[in-house]
């Protein structure tokens, strides 16, 4: 393998390592934001005042 090819390969490996590190950081930030939003809104749940399949009283009148 020529020295130019080896140098290019090292450059690409460094770029891949850098991008992997950035991806891991962004994934951690994304998961943190998701957990905060989930906690703020109590996660998905059914509203006991409006069970599925029933219309609101205002719309029915």
């Amino acid at each position: 393998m020529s020295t130019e090819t080896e140098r290019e390969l090292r450059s690409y490996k460094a770029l891949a390592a850098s991008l992997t590190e950035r991806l891991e950081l962004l994934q951690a930030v994304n998961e943190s934001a998701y957990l905060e939003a989930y906690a703020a809104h109590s996660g998905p749940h059914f509203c006991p005042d409006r069970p599925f399949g029933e219309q609101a009283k205002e719309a029915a009148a």
Side-chain angles (χ1 to χ4, degrees), residues 15-60:
L15 177 61
S18 172
L19 291 174
T20 300
E21 184 178 319
R22 182 177 170 126
L23 176 62
E24 289 172 353
L25 173 65
L26 292 173
Q27 184 67 28
V29 170
N30 185 40
E31 289 176 7
S32 175
Y34 174 81
L35 290 175
E36 287 176 16
Y38 184 87
H41 300 288
S42 303
H45 60 278
F46 289 105
C47 179
D49 298 333
R50 293 188 178 183
F52 179 76
E54 291 184 12
Q55 294 183 350
K57 291 178 183 172
E58 305 89 49

